[in-house]
């Protein structure tokens, strides 16, 4: 027994040990001591408890102690199982020259062991055994059928041979070889191997030598291994030509590497004509006409073999074919709908192999894992057109539409719902900002570090931005504000009372990086006459953010063009928006207020989908017509003066782009500071009378201290007043209302909606504004609705009272605010109610604070 214990002890550094007790229960052990393992070996040999181990070794699971194939196949008779085992044994020998040993298992199946003494690579052994099984039988490798060890996940164990071989420490059980349970057997007659250790030693010597050689050839096409193991005299130079041809043509192997491979093969086979073989390799690499596969397949008229080395269809070459080559093969062999079906199936298999499909914001995406690219799947996507053309399907062919629809159908069933971002994404829970700088260079920005990760890392995905130009992080002087120095100071800003336009622009620019916490978005408007640089100013900001390919754009009156722009971009500048259509105004209002856009599904005729807008919009205008209160309240207006002297636009652009790396490096540093402040102020609540609350709260939360916050509050108060003035300065209703309220005859007068409409019409005729008034306000309801919409903007000048009378009728009266006299209580309450909610809350908090102080003073 001692020799068998010593043999089994060679597996004592296994990763996992299992023991089956007599009641058939199984216990699992790890980190078994050498002494305990020896005891388990003895119990195994005596048949007291059955011992099993995993091929992987402890502490290095990528190495294995042995390989094994377990044949269960319950649908086969015992003899049929044995014939299958013999076939697998013969295949291992013919394909790899590996000597295997067959053991009849306890469960009436068979174990086929590949034994060796030198540790082998786990994947190498696993792949070799899978190849042997697939060539020997069509039966699947699966639990309960044919299992391979190392198996699936690492650490699966198989029972060892010799169970119950001994009846005591010195004597073999007389029935052991007769029962043939856990016993090695040979030949077709299932003869027992009565001296198994000698057979094992012989197999191990052979396998140690051959496995070392096979591992060197593992990454090469299988025909090279077969040729090396069938290095027949008289054919060796022909085999060398074939090997060199395959290495050059199929594997793209350099000549020096091919020479080393031939040296290994020659040495392994004790071939004495090394120089002749090397010359054959060199001549192959010099030749334009390369023969390789044709020689191995016995199809070459000049270089022939007695027997072919490989099949006509080589799976290795099939794997090496590009998708385009596979498409062409299908087109050559098939026609019609069968051809289209097979190509569509191939494309979907390629997608499954090379990437994942996702759905985000009602749009499908393909993520290519190797390239780290996220591509939108639409028939007008240049990225998808380019990809399918690369795969052999041109967008001009009808096949393109067929395959695209098959892809979309596959996506509808298999796409995973995720958030896919453009340009920037701020994780407000982890205080991390991810900034796009190409697919393979996503900046992960935290308060104390900037790291570069790849697209998809950490579960964050960015859609590819085709025209984006990456920037580099470079050293800069931390005492200089490069955003102001290189960009903002170049603007010919018109000074506005109490409004720091540079600070305002700076805040707006930094808000672009925090879209995820900007449900409502400010609309930046550069206003100025011709020659004020409003277009070039916003273009500079876009070029800073996106690179030299950025440009402003104009939009037609077709709302679909505008929807396309905002649904496919992170930041756009709309040029010369002097008189936008009602539909465009509606969409701008939805963007700024955080509403979803309702659009027709791109792939259907009338299905409606909701689209979350994540685009920031800036506009230029000479005389803007954004007087609608729902838009005006969300405008950040920058007024520009006309330049006295003009510079060359290309020169300005070139100078700004030359400083882009420096400026963006400074901006990234400032973003770190803002992330730090957002984290510090995360639990604080900020109120503001500025209508764009998300923008204002971001500014206050990211400010450095209370002094800066107080300055920002003053800025927002001035900006809110500017918005009100802007909303009413060209409002025809406001203009007429001032005339009506200014009349003594209307003091304390109450109007029904019909009476008020008549009064407005008459006053419009008197002011010669009737044509414009009637074209917009064709009935009393339209007029009174607009009055209620602008009441908050004009509350400092005119208080609008609206009271309910009989039969659900409403009466309207107006009070002109005299700042020299106090308001009545009723008018003061009405004025408060006219203000926006944020202002009401702030005023109430101030009242409570003052009241508390008064009580404490008393």
């Amino acid at each position: 027994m001692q020799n068998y214990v010593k043999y089994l002890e060679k597996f004592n550094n296994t990763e996992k040990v299992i023991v089956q007790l007599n009641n058939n229960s199984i216990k699992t052990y790890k980190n078994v001591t050498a002494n305990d393992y020896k005891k388990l070996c003895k119990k195994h040999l005596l048949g007291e408890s059955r011992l099993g181990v995993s091929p992987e070794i402890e502490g290095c699971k990528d190495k294995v102690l042995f390989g094994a194939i377990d044949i269960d196949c319950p649908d086969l008779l015992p003899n049929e199982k044995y014939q299958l085992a013999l076939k697998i044994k013969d295949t291992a020998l013919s394909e790899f020259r590996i000597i295997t040993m067959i053991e009849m298992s306890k469960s009436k199946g068979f174990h086929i062991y590949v034994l060796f003494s030198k540790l082998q690579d786990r994947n190498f052994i696993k792949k070799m055994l899978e190849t042997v099984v697939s060539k020997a039988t069509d039966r699947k490798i699966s639990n309960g059928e044919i299992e391979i060890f190392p198996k699936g996940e690492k650490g699966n164990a198989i029972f060892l041979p010799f169970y119950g071989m001994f009846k005591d420490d010195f004597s073999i059980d007389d029935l052991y070889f007769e029962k043939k349970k856990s016993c090695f057997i040979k030949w077709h007659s299932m003869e027992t191997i009565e001296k198994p250790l000698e057979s094992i030693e012989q197999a191990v010597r052979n396998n140690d030598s051959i496995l070392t050689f096979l591992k060197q050839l593992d990454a090469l096409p299988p025909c090279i291994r077969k040729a090396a193991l069938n290095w027949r005299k008289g054919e060796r130079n022909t085999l060398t030509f074939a090997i060199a041809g395959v290495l050059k043509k199929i594997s793209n192997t350099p000549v020096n590497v091919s020479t080393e491979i031939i040296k290994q093969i020659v040495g392994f086979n004790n071939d004495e004509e090394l120089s002749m073989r090397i010359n054959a390799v060199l001549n192959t690499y010099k030749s334009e006409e390369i023969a390789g596969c044709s020689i191995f397949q016995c199809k070459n008229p000049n270089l022939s073999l007695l027997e072919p080395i490989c099949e006509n269809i080589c799976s290795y070459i099939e794997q090496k074919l590009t998708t385009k080559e596979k498409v062409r093969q299908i087109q050559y062999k098939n026609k019609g709908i069968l051809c289209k079906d097979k190509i569509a199936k191939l494309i979907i298999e390629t997608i499954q192999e090379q990437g994942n499909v996702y759905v985000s914001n009602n749009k499908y995406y393909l993520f290519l894992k190797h390239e780290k690219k996220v591509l939108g799947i639409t028939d007008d996507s240049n990225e998808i057109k380019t990809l399918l053309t690369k795969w052999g399907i041109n967008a001009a062919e009808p096949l393109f539409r067929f395959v695209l629809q098959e892809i979309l159908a596959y996506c509808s069933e298999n796409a995973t719902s995720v958030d896919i971002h453009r340009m920037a994404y701020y994780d407000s829970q982890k205080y991390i900002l991810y900034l796009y700088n190409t697919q393979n260079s996503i900046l992960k920005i935290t308060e104390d570090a900037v790291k570069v990760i790849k697209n998809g890392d950490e579960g964050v995905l960015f859609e590819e931005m085709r025209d984006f130009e990456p920037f580099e992080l470079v050293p800069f002087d931390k005492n200089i504000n490069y955003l102001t120095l290189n960009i903002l100071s170049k603007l010919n800003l018109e000074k506005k009372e109490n409004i720091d336009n540079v600070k305002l622009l700076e805040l707006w620019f930094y808000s672009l990086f925090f879209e995820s916490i900007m449900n409502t978005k400010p609309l930046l408007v550069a206003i100025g006459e011709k020659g004020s640089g409003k277009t070039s100013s916003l273009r500079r900001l876009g070029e800073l953010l996106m690179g030299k390919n950025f440009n402003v754009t104009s939009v037609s009156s077709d709302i679909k063009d505008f929807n396309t722009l905002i649904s496919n971009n992170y930041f756009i500048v709309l040029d010369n928006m002097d008189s936008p259509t009602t539909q465009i105004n509606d969409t701008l209002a939805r963007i700024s207020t955080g509403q979803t856009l309702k659009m027709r599904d791109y792939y259907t005729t009338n299905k409606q989908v909701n689209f979350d807008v994540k685009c920031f919009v800036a506009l230029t205008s000479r005389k803007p017509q954004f007087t609608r209160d729902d838009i005006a309240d969300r405008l950040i207006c920058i007024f520009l003066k006309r330049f006295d002297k003009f510079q060359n636009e290309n020169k300005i652009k070139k100078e700004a782009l030359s400083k882009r790396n420096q400026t963006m490096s400074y901006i990234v540093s400032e973003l770190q500071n803002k992330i730090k402040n957002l984290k510090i102020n995360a639990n604080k609540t900020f109120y503001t009378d500025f209508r764009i609350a998300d923008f204002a709260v971001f500014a206050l939360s990211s400010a450095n201290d209370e002094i800066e916050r107080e300055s920002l509050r003053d800025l927002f108060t001035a900006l809110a007043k500017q918005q009100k003035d802007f909303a009413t300065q060209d409002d025809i209703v406001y203009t007429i209302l001032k005339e009506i309220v200014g009349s003594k005859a209307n003091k304390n007068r109450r109007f029904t909606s019909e009476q008020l409409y008549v009064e407005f019409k008459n006053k419009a005729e008197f002011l010669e504004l009737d044509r414009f008034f009637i074209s917009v306000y064709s009935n009393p309801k339209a007029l009174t609705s607009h009055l209620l919409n602008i009441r908050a903007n004009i509350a400092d000048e005119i208080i609008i009272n609206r009271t309910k009378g009989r039969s659900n009728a409403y009466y309207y009266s107006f009070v002109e605010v005299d700042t020299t006299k106090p308001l009545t209580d009723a008018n003061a309450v009405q004025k408060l109610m006219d203000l926006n909610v944020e202002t009401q809350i702030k005023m109430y908090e101030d009242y409570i604070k003052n009241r508390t102080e008064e009580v404490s003073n008393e």
Side-chain angles (χ1 to χ4, degrees):
M1 181 190 285
Q2 185 177 359
N3 290 336
Y4 287 89
V5 170
K6 283 184 178 180
Y7 177 73
L8 293 180
E9 280 185 300
K10 293 180 180 180
F11 304 108
N12 69 346
N13 58 343
T14 179
E15 197 268 334
K16 182 166 68 175
V17 174
I18 62 171
V19 176
Q20 185 179 46
L21 305 176
N22 288 333
N23 61 0
N24 289 328
S25 64
I26 295 178
K27 289 188 176 181
T28 302
Y29 300 90
K30 286 191 176 184
N31 302 317
V32 180
T33 64
N35 188 49
D36 288 340
Y37 185 81
K38 184 175 183 178
K39 292 177 182 178
L40 292 173
C41 291
K42 286 185 176 182
K43 289 184 177 182
H44 175 80
L45 293 170
L46 292 169
E48 295 176 4
S49 59
R50 191 178 177 91
L51 176 64
V53 298
S54 62
E56 295 87 359
I57 67 170
E58 179 65 31
C60 187
K61 297 179 183 179
D62 291 328
K63 297 292 183 181
V64 291
L65 298 156
F66 63 91
I69 299 170
D70 182 7
I71 300 175
D72 286 328
C73 301
D75 59 318
L76 296 181
L77 296 172
N79 186 58
E80 292 174 326
K81 295 180 189 179
Y82 185 60
Q83 293 304 315
L84 177 57
L86 287 174
K87 191 172 182 181
I88 290 174
K89 178 182 177 69
D90 292 341
T91 303
L93 186 61
S94 63
E95 287 287 327
F96 296 98
R97 277 203 212 166
I98 293 296
I99 296 177
T100 59
M101 298 192 68
I102 302 175
E103 175 211 17
M104 180 179 284
S105 69
K106 184 181 178 183
S107 58
K108 298 182 180 180
F110 295 91
H111 292 164
I112 304 171
Y113 284 96
V114 178
L115 301 170
F116 38 81
S117 63
K118 299 176 182 178
L119 294 179
Q120 299 293 332
D121 181 78
R122 182 184 192 275
N123 290 334
F124 167 61
I125 295 298
K126 186 172 182 286
K127 186 174 73 170
M128 182 181 70
L129 295 183
E130 287 172 347
T131 300
V132 169
V133 171
S134 64
K135 286 186 173 296
T137 177
D138 293 332
R139 301 183 78 92
K140 292 183 178 180
I141 300 172
S142 62
N143 289 340
E145 288 287 323
I146 300 177
E147 299 174 57
I148 287 176
F149 295 83
K151 176 183 175 183
E153 295 296 327
K154 298 175 182 178
N156 288 290
I158 185 173
F159 289 114
L160 292 174
F162 311 133
Y163 174 68
M165 183 176 183
F166 289 83
K167 61 182 178 182
D168 56 43
D169 288 356
F170 305 101
S171 307
I172 293 177
D173 188 341
D174 296 333
L175 298 176
Y176 175 73
F177 293 111
E178 184 179 334
K179 291 180 180 178
K180 299 180 182 177
K181 300 293 184 183
S182 270
C183 174
F184 286 116
I185 52 180
K186 63 180 179 179
W187 314 127
H188 285 276
S189 58
M190 278 197 278
E191 293 181 22
T192 58
I193 300 176
E194 296 189 359
K195 293 183 179 181
L197 292 182
E198 292 181 6
S199 298
I200 288 173
E201 186 178 350
Q202 181 183 353
V204 167
R205 281 199 305 269
N206 173 85
N207 294 346
D208 280 349
S209 173
I210 195 68
L211 286 172
T212 301
F213 178 63
L214 291 175
K215 186 67 174 70
Q216 295 170 340
L217 306 179
D218 182 48
L220 303 175
C223 57
I224 294 177
R225 165 181 47 84
K226 292 181 182 179
L229 297 180
N230 292 277
W231 203 246
R232 297 184 287 261
K233 286 187 177 181
E235 296 183 340
R236 292 177 176 179
N237 226 41
T238 301
L239 290 170
T240 303
F241 279 117
I243 290 172
V246 169
L247 289 174
K248 180 181 179 183
K249 187 175 182 179
I250 306 300
S251 299
N252 299 317
T253 306
V255 62
N256 60 320
V257 177
S258 295
T259 302
E260 290 302 315
I261 291 170
I262 288 297
K263 287 181 181 179
Q264 292 170 1
I265 294 172
V266 166
F268 177 77
N269 287 285
N270 298 315
D271 184 351
E272 297 176 353
E273 297 179 315
L274 175 60
S275 59
M276 184 182 293
R277 312 300 175 232
I278 292 176
N279 285 333
V281 173
L282 297 177
N283 290 332
T284 299
Y285 272 78
K286 289 177 183 177
S287 175
E288 295 295 329
E289 297 294 329
I290 303 169
C293 295
S294 62
I295 300 174
F296 281 145
Q297 295 169 2
C298 292
K299 293 181 178 179
N300 191 292
N302 301 316
L303 297 167
S304 60
L305 300 172
L306 289 175
E307 294 179 2
I309 291 293
C310 64
E311 301 88 351
N312 292 336
I313 301 174
C314 176
S315 59
Y316 187 90
I317 294 178
E318 183 71 21
Q319 293 171 359
K320 289 292 182 179
L321 288 177
T322 65
T323 303
K324 186 173 185 177
E325 289 169 334
K326 293 178 182 179
V327 167
R328 295 292 177 259
Q329 281 187 349
I330 293 173
Q331 290 174 322
Y332 177 76
K333 295 178 182 179
N334 302 276
K335 302 294 179 185
I337 191 66
L338 180 62
C339 175
K340 292 196 291 186
D341 282 340
K342 287 190 173 183
I343 290 174
K345 182 180 178 182
L346 170 65
I347 296 301
I348 289 172
E349 288 174 350
T350 304
I351 288 173
Q352 291 171 334
E353 178 185 342
Q354 297 186 15
N356 297 313
V357 290
Y358 297 108
V359 60
S360 178
N361 212 4
N362 290 299
K363 184 177 177 181
Y364 292 124
Y365 292 88
L366 168 62
F367 176 56
L368 297 174
K369 291 181 282 190
H370 182 69
E371 293 91 342
K372 297 291 185 178
K373 287 184 178 181
V374 176
L375 311 178
I377 304 176
T378 61
D379 62 358
D380 63 345
S381 165
N382 289 326
E383 291 79 14
I384 286 297
K385 289 178 181 178
T386 301
L387 179 65
L388 289 182
T389 299
K390 177 183 174 183
W391 287 350
I393 304 166
N394 193 284
E397 303 176 57
L399 178 62
F400 175 86
R401 290 291 306 164
F402 181 88
V403 171
L404 181 64
Q405 293 304 316
E406 291 292 312
I407 293 173
L408 291 170
Y410 170 76
C411 289
S412 68
E413 295 182 356
N414 299 279
T416 303
S417 180
V418 298
D419 283 329
I420 293 180
H421 313 286
R422 289 193 186 100
M423 192 61 205
Y425 167 64
Y426 177 61
D427 187 333
S428 59
Q429 301 299 314
K430 298 179 180 177
Y431 306 101
I432 300 173
L433 175 66
Y434 297 92
L435 182 59
Y436 180 93
N437 199 29
T438 72
Q439 303 281 355
N440 289 308
S441 180
I442 307 297
L443 299 185
K444 178 186 176 182
I445 305 171
T446 60
E447 60 179 299
D448 51 12
V450 178
K451 296 181 180 179
V452 177
I453 63 174
K454 292 184 177 182
N455 199 14
D457 293 354
E458 302 187 7
V460 179
L461 291 164
F462 283 88
E463 185 173 358
E464 183 175 20
M465 298 173 67
R466 188 158 43 95
D467 294 328
F468 179 84
E469 183 181 25
F471 60 87
E472 293 181 18
L473 294 177
V474 297
F476 62 92
D477 187 341
K478 294 185 178 181
N479 296 315
I480 298 176
N481 185 330
Y482 289 93
L483 177 59
T484 299
L485 176 67
N486 295 332
I487 302 292
L488 303 184
S489 64
K490 311 293 185 184
L491 306 183
N492 196 22
L493 293 168
E494 185 177 325
K495 292 183 180 179
K496 290 289 179 179
E497 188 177 355
N498 298 325
I499 296 180
D500 184 345
N501 282 319
V502 172
K503 181 65 175 177
L504 193 58
L505 261 176
E506 192 176 59
L507 285 172
W508 170 83
F509 183 81
Y510 284 115
S511 75
L512 299 181
F513 298 91
F514 295 88
E515 189 279 330
S516 64
I517 57 173
M518 291 280 173
N519 187 42
T520 56
K521 298 176 177 63
L523 300 172
L524 179 72
V525 186
I527 302 170
E529 60 180 305
K530 184 178 179 181
S532 60
K534 55 186 180 298
T535 299
S536 61
S537 297
L538 294 188
R539 185 187 290 120
R540 291 294 88 78
L541 288 170
E543 288 169 347
L544 175 63
L545 198 63
M546 305 289 187
K548 64 183 179 183
N549 296 317
F550 179 86
N551 207 344
V552 301
T553 185
S554 57
V555 63
S556 70
S557 59
D558 190 343
I559 190 62
K560 289 186 289 187
D561 294 341
F562 188 37
N563 288 342
T564 299
L565 271 174
I566 62 175
S567 62
N568 287 284
N569 291 279
Y570 187 80
F571 171 60
I572 58 173
V573 175
L574 302 179
D575 200 21
N576 296 322
M577 293 290 286
D578 293 323
S579 300
T581 65
T582 300
Q583 284 185 314
I584 289 178
N585 267 329
D586 289 341
T587 302
L588 287 173
R590 292 190 183 99
I591 293 171
S592 62
T593 55
Q595 299 177 35
T596 59
L597 289 183
K598 298 184 183 296
M599 301 167 58
R600 180 180 66 83
D601 190 346
Y602 193 87
Y603 308 107
T604 65
T605 55
N606 61 1
K607 179 183 175 183
Q608 180 178 283
V609 295
N610 293 332
F611 180 83
D612 294 328
V613 180
K614 298 185 177 182
C615 180
F616 287 90
V617 178
L619 314 104
T620 73
S621 181
R622 282 180 287 185
K623 188 175 176 63
Q625 300 296 316
F626 304 115
T627 55
R628 280 176 42 168
D629 64 292
D630 54 349
I631 296 177
D633 282 355
R634 289 166 177 84
L635 293 180
I636 293 179
C637 298
I638 302 297
F639 296 89
L640 302 170
K641 299 180 294 184
R642 181 179 171 84
F643 283 102
D644 296 327
K645 296 180 180 180
F646 301 94
Q647 296 185 52
N648 181 281
E649 173 68 13
N650 287 333
K651 182 179 179 181
I652 298 173
K653 177 177 180 177
K654 186 176 180 180
E655 181 182 358
L657 288 173
S658 69
K659 299 175 181 178
R660 182 175 178 236
N661 289 338
Q662 183 188 62
T663 307
M664 286 303 296
S665 299
Y666 164 78
I667 287 167
V668 169
S669 175
E670 282 298 294
L671 289 172
Q672 287 185 276
N673 186 52
K674 294 195 177 299
I675 292 169
K676 178 183 177 181
N677 291 337
L678 287 170
K679 184 177 180 181
I680 292 171
N681 298 314
N683 296 321
K684 295 180 181 179
T685 302
F686 296 98
Y687 293 108
T688 173
D689 56 1
F690 190 53
R691 188 68 181 273
I692 319 172
D694 288 336
F695 174 71
V697 169
F698 161 74
L700 295 169
S701 301
S702 61
N704 290 317
D705 49 43
E706 191 57 39
I707 295 174
E708 183 180 357
R709 270 190 282 277
E710 197 57 40
S711 173
L712 288 175
R713 289 188 183 97
D714 293 340
L715 174 63
F716 291 138
T717 299
L719 191 58
K721 183 178 184 306
Q722 183 192 83
Q723 288 176 333
K724 291 179 181 180
D725 295 341
F726 188 76
T728 57
Q729 63 182 353
D730 294 320
D731 191 321
I732 190 171
V733 169
Y734 170 69
T735 302
I736 296 173
L737 179 62
K738 285 198 297 183
E739 292 291 327
I740 293 173
V741 173
S743 172
K744 291 183 179 180
N746 293 324
K747 188 175 182 181
N748 298 323
R749 182 180 173 186
R750 292 204 313 167
F751 298 87
T752 65
S753 58
E754 289 78 9
Q755 291 170 339
L756 186 62
Y757 185 71
V758 172
E759 185 72 17
F760 264 82
K761 271 185 69 176
N762 293 336
K763 189 61 70 173
E765 289 176 5
F766 175 77
L767 297 172
E768 298 182 350
L769 297 172
D770 53 316
R771 184 166 61 89
F772 301 103
F773 174 77
I774 295 172
S775 67
V776 179
Y777 305 100
S778 57
N779 56 66
K781 185 176 180 181
L783 172 63
T784 54
S785 295
H786 186 70
L787 280 171
L788 295 177
N789 285 337
I790 66 171
R791 66 199 299 185
N793 291 333
I794 64 174
D796 290 334
E797 299 178 57
I798 301 171
I799 298 172
I800 301 175
N801 291 300
R802 180 175 181 252
T803 57
K804 191 173 183 180
R806 295 179 180 178
S807 302
N808 292 324
Y810 285 95
Y811 293 91
Y812 298 85
S813 61
F814 308 95
V815 176
E816 190 172 15
V817 177
D818 185 350
T819 56
T820 63
K821 297 179 181 179
L823 291 172
T824 65
D825 290 344
N827 288 334
V829 170
Q830 184 61 52
K831 179 180 179 180
L832 177 63
M833 296 302 294
D834 285 347
L835 299 176
N836 59 57
V837 175
E838 292 89 348
T839 303
Q840 292 181 38
I841 293 173
K842 187 175 184 300
M843 292 178 69
Y844 176 75
E845 289 180 340
D846 290 342
Y847 167 76
I848 294 297
K849 181 180 178 182
N850 293 334
R851 184 64 182 147
T852 303
E853 290 176 355
E854 289 174 3
V855 171
S856 62
N857 291 334
E858 291 175 0

